[in-house]
Amino acid sequence: MVFNVLLYISLGIFILGLIYKVYTWCSMKIGISAQDYTPSQRFSAAVKGTVGVVFSSKILLFIKAFILDVLLQKRILKESFSRWIMHMLLYGGFMLLLLMHALEKFVSAKLFSDYYSTVNPFMFLRDFFGFMVVVGIGIAIFRRFIMKVPRLKTSGMDVYAIFIVVVIIFSGILLEGVKITSHTAFQGMVEDYAGLTAEDDAEEIEALESYWAKEFDVVSPNVQGPFEEEILEQGMESHEANCAECHSPPGWAFTGYAVAKTIKPMALTLDNADAANILWYIHFLACFIGLAYLPFSKMFHIISTPVSLLANAVMEKETADPANIVTRQAMELDACTHCGTCSLRCSASTAF
């Protein structure tokens, strides 16, 4: 209940932020010509121009710009290979995690009838996409704080952007590692999916628990190795009957599995402290905060920059509606990330 309320609140703030941004684009006055148009006239012209692009040959230019400039980020590649790699890892990894993991009920489960987040290839891909973001974060920190790229200014908003992404990704990885070793999570799986009860199936549960302790790295207070082969065979039979369909070996989740191996000596302590539940709240609260604040932070450039690039690709200076030109200039200002590229390219002025 609380989770749903927080989700709706963060979504509501995000949507209100988007509406505010669109209003800003249509109301910000840049240059003398901007005085001639009201926000409603600029919004109407933008809608008319968008419809005109969709139903004209310019849609091909739009698609080309979307593939080259938005998805492949060709313009960033021209400026810096390390910056391009960083953007591709962060943007690509995060978007793929959003689609496959965060929106799994609406995307992955709809596309794949046999989808479970705990089976391959989905389990491996989730960790691989998360690892992409981790590498991208590392490159971002290295460029900003160690290389100290010229003209690259670090503001509080830059620190926030890195911090919120770090919290989201690393809390997710830690949560996965804790759940791999968690005896409580194992018990919940047995109760919810295996249909075994402690009163009637104690022997089978012990065998299954032994098998999971050996093969799936569950740390149990009840059973400890080395295990007899007969017990493991019985546990494997129970696993194949009740669990194998929706559980691949945890080693495929390589980032979470590395955490699980590291925390194994303290796994029972963490389990007793309800660490999995705590990390779950941290992970989702960070996601909700990031979503709600996105339209008001520098991270909004993941939306405003593509919109600006696509608008530039289909607009012609000679034939474009002057009202749309003014709106496009407002979007361009909103898309600015203060990267200093303009200072490197402009021969007339240093603007950083």
Side-chain angles (χ1 to χ4, degrees):
M1 180 64 180
V2 175
F3 174 85
N4 288 333
V5 170
L6 291 174
L7 174 61
Y8 291 138
I9 290 174
S10 61
L11 276 174
I13 296 173
F14 174 75
I15 292 170
L16 288 174
L18 287 181
I19 294 172
Y20 169 75
K21 283 295 184 180
V22 172
Y23 174 77
T24 302
W25 292 345
C26 295
S27 60
M28 184 183 293
K29 298 186 181 298
I30 301 174
I32 298 175
S33 60
Q35 312 300 323
D36 301 331
Y37 304 99
T38 64
S40 61
Q41 289 174 325
R42 286 165 61 173
F43 180 77
S44 177
V47 173
K48 181 180 177 181
T50 302
V51 173
V53 168
V54 172
F55 295 99
S56 72
S57 60
K58 287 185 177 180
I59 190 65
L60 298 177
L61 291 174
F62 182 93
I63 294 172
K64 177 183 177 182
F66 180 76
I67 294 172
L68 295 180
D69 294 331
V70 177
L71 294 183
L72 300 180
Q73 303 191 26
K74 181 186 69 172
R75 292 171 183 248
I76 295 178
L77 178 59
K78 288 182 178 180
E79 297 296 331
S80 167
F81 181 74
S82 65
R83 185 179 165 201
W84 177 77
I85 286 289
M86 177 192 72
H87 275 83
M88 290 298 291
L89 291 171
L90 286 171
Y91 177 75
F94 219 94
M95 289 304 297
L96 290 168
L97 277 176
L98 173 67
L99 294 172
M100 190 201 80
H101 178 53
L103 300 176
E104 62 181 2
K105 290 183 180 179
F106 309 101
V107 180
S108 301
K110 298 295 183 184
L111 292 176
F112 306 99
S113 58
D114 57 346
Y115 173 79
Y116 290 100
S117 62
T118 48
V119 299
N120 279 328
F122 311 109
M123 184 166 70
F124 169 77
L125 288 175
R126 182 185 63 238
D127 275 52
F128 180 72
F129 297 151
F131 183 70
M132 287 172 60
V133 178
V134 170
V135 176
I137 292 171
I139 296 174
I141 293 173
F142 181 78
R143 291 183 76 252
R144 189 169 290 276
F145 299 107
I146 298 177
M147 284 182 63
K148 296 183 179 179
V149 176
R151 299 183 177 86
L152 184 61
K153 297 292 183 179
T154 300
S155 65
M157 193 56 67
D158 296 307
V159 175
Y160 161 78
I162 294 175
F163 175 76
I164 197 68
V165 173
V166 166
V167 173
I168 290 172
I169 294 299
F170 282 91
S171 63
I173 293 173
L174 289 172
L175 173 60
E176 184 177 52
V178 169
K179 288 182 72 175
I180 287 173
T181 62
S182 172
H183 182 254
T184 301
F186 170 80
Q187 286 180 313
M189 179 199 70
V190 171
E191 293 173 5
D192 295 339
Y193 301 105
L196 304 176
T197 61
E199 295 80 12
D200 302 327
D201 308 288
E203 186 177 336
E204 184 175 353
I205 291 175
E206 183 180 354
L208 181 62
E209 194 167 322
S210 300
Y211 181 77
W212 270 64
K214 184 177 187 301
E215 301 295 337
F216 285 78
D217 289 276
V218 168
V219 177
S220 168
N222 304 322
V223 298
Q224 293 181 346
F227 303 104
E228 297 178 6
E229 286 299 321
E230 184 179 349
I231 293 290
L232 292 177
E233 287 179 9
Q234 184 181 349
M236 183 175 66
E237 290 176 3
S238 180
H239 166 77
E240 290 177 349
N242 299 296
C243 313
E245 182 182 358
C246 53
H247 283 279
S248 294
W252 286 102
F254 59 95
T255 57
Y257 189 64
V259 170
K261 286 293 189 182
T262 303
I263 66 171
K264 209 166 184 179
M266 61 185 82
L268 287 176
T269 302
L270 291 172
D271 198 27
N272 291 331
D274 203 17
N277 206 28
I278 294 171
L279 287 167
W280 187 88
Y281 276 105
I282 292 173
H283 183 64
F284 279 94
L285 284 174
C287 291
F288 292 159
I289 292 170
L291 176 65
Y293 194 51
L294 190 147
F296 311 100
S297 71
K298 181 179 177 179
M299 291 179 69
F300 188 68
H301 79 276
I302 66 175
I303 296 175
S304 58
T305 299
V307 171
S308 177
L309 289 170
L310 294 173
N312 272 287
V314 298
M315 289 178 65
E316 298 174 359
K317 185 177 180 180
E318 297 77 12
T319 59
D321 189 324
N324 284 336
I325 292 177
V326 174
T327 302
R328 185 196 67 193
Q329 290 173 331
M331 287 192 299
E332 288 172 343
L333 282 179
D334 206 29
C336 177
T337 60
H338 308 283
C339 64
T341 301
C342 53
S343 295
L344 294 173
R345 293 288 171 263
C346 181
S347 59
S349 174
T350 53
F352 67 88

